[in-house]
Amino acid sequence: MDPGHPARPAVGEAAAVLSGRPVAVLTGAGISTDSGIPDYRGPDSPPRTPMTYQQFVGDPDRRRHYWARNHVGWRHVHRTRPNPGHLAVSRMEADGVAVGVITQNVDTLHDAAGCRNVIDLHGRYDRVICLSCRRVVPRDHVAARLTALNPDFADEVADAEIAPDADAVIEATAHFRVADCEACGGILKPDIVYFGENVPKPRVEAAYELVDSAAALLVAGSSLTVMSGLRFVRHAHKTGRPVVIVNHGATRGDDLATVKVDAGCSPVLTVLASVLTASAAAR
């Protein structure tokens, strides 16, 4: 990071707060933007109206449209790779600075970066679940079925816009054929938490336990707009754990933060990883 960068003093403050403390890391879409996955709520993000769980389950036309969009978007996210922000978090975990990661992202890039203790709060894009028999299958298996049902569809679509949930904006999807569960014929749904759907309770409990096992919370790339992430910031603050937030723009947790760094995740996390791992090695 440029020594003259306006965020530099705040990065130093963040390192001072986190140094010597086991850190839990909470990440949002902002950590993945440098991998080519747009943020939902960043300062430059366009307005989006994501499909709700109720719409997906209750409307076959909307469900077909979703799967058509997802079929194109999945191919993009499937090719993405971890960026320096993901690698910095993985380094912190490997060096004993971070106790684990709670991620609001479904892109699995923390796993790809080498993180071992990851709680996928909102699920994973690489799995598909049947809403009837609860059978879980790999997303690439469903991709092969969708390709067989819709030859050349993804290649024919020219107006795709990639979105953070492996989605893409497509105008004409009326002719798209959806794959049902091979075991029971039920509705297949990406194994991610939709708007209007609750995060499974055991997953939430595991996330609270991770925060409680740490002595500080580092938030990276989340606006904390939704309660599913904000609740962990509130919990850390309530239990006396310092909170460091790294994010472009304001977040709902800024008033709870010990230090706020208004900057991109990749450069800040890279600096923090270097400073904190060096400090840990010196102790």
Side-chain angles (χ1 to χ4, degrees), residues 147-177:
T147 298
L149 290 168
N150 306 275
D152 302 321
F153 175 82
D155 295 325
E156 294 169 355
V157 176
D159 58 342
E161 177 196 350
I162 305 305
D165 57 352
D167 224 339
V169 177
I170 298 173
E171 294 299 328
T173 60
H175 64 291
F176 191 82
R177 297 176 63 191

Side-chain angles (χ1 to χ4, degrees), residues 264-275:
C265 290
S266 290
V268 173
L269 294 177
T270 299
V271 171
L272 286 178
S274 295
V275 173

Side-chain angles (χ1 to χ4, degrees), residues 147-209:
T147 298
L149 290 168
N150 306 275
D152 302 321
F153 175 82
D155 295 325
E156 294 169 355
V157 176
D159 58 342
E161 177 196 350
I162 305 305
D165 57 352
D167 224 339
V169 177
I170 298 173
E171 294 299 328
T173 60
H175 64 291
F176 191 82
R177 297 176 63 191
V178 175
D180 294 322
C181 178
E182 293 173 293
C184 74
I187 294 173
L188 292 180
K189 169 185 166 290
D191 194 13
I192 60 179
V193 177
Y194 284 26
F195 284 83
E197 188 177 12
N198 293 324
V199 178
K201 187 175 180 180
R203 203 177 296 168
V204 175
E205 292 173 347
Y208 276 121
E209 290 174 3

Side-chain angles (χ1 to χ4, degrees), residues 8 22 38 59 76 79 84 87 92 96 103 114 124 129 131 136 141 155 162 174 192 201 210 216 229 231 244 252:
R8 186 76 192 202
D59 188 333
H76 171 80
R79 293 192 295 264
L87 297 174
M92 284 191 276
T103 184
R124 299 171 59 101
I129 188 169
L131 297 180
V136 176
H141 175 72
D155 295 325
I162 305 305
I192 60 179
K201 187 175 180 180
L210 183 65
R231 57 184 154 190
V244 170
R252 283 184 69 192

Side-chain angles (χ1 to χ4, degrees), residues 8-171:
R8 186 76 192 202
V11 176
E13 293 173 17
V17 167
L18 298 175
S19 182
R21 291 184 167 99
V23 178
V25 182
L26 170 66
T27 66
I31 198 174
S32 294
T33 54
D34 286 347
S35 293
I37 303 177
D39 189 356
Y40 263 129
R41 300 182 182 87
D44 301 319
S45 298
R48 302 183 190 275
T49 307
M51 184 173 293
T52 67
Y53 177 79
Q54 291 75 18
Q55 290 170 335
F56 182 88
V57 174
D59 188 333
D61 291 336
R62 286 179 178 267
R63 187 161 60 250
R64 180 183 63 245
H65 184 65
Y66 181 92
W67 271 115
R69 297 165 66 194
N70 186 276
H71 187 48
V72 177
W74 177 85
R75 300 202 316 174
H76 171 80
V77 178
H78 192 56
R79 293 192 295 264
T80 58
R81 294 293 178 265
N83 63 55
H86 298 108
L87 297 174
V89 173
S90 178
R91 179 184 173 188
M92 284 191 276
E93 185 191 39
D95 290 346
V97 172
V99 298
V101 183
I102 305 163
T103 184
Q104 297 171 277
N105 302 334
V106 300
D107 54 36
T108 72
L109 290 177
H110 283 297
D111 289 62
C115 290
R116 298 181 300 275
N117 188 17
V118 180
I119 297 172
D120 298 294
L121 196 63
H122 294 161
R124 299 171 59 101
Y125 90 101
D126 61 348
R127 297 190 302 224
V128 175
I129 188 169
C130 173
L131 297 180
S132 296
C133 69
R134 310 307 293 179
R135 180 173 180 251
V136 176
V137 295
R139 178 62 179 83
D140 55 4
H141 175 72
V142 176
R145 293 183 61 205
L146 291 173
T147 298
L149 290 168
N150 306 275
D152 302 321
F153 175 82
D155 295 325
E156 294 169 355
V157 176
D159 58 342
E161 177 196 350
I162 305 305
D165 57 352
D167 224 339
V169 177
I170 298 173
E171 294 299 328

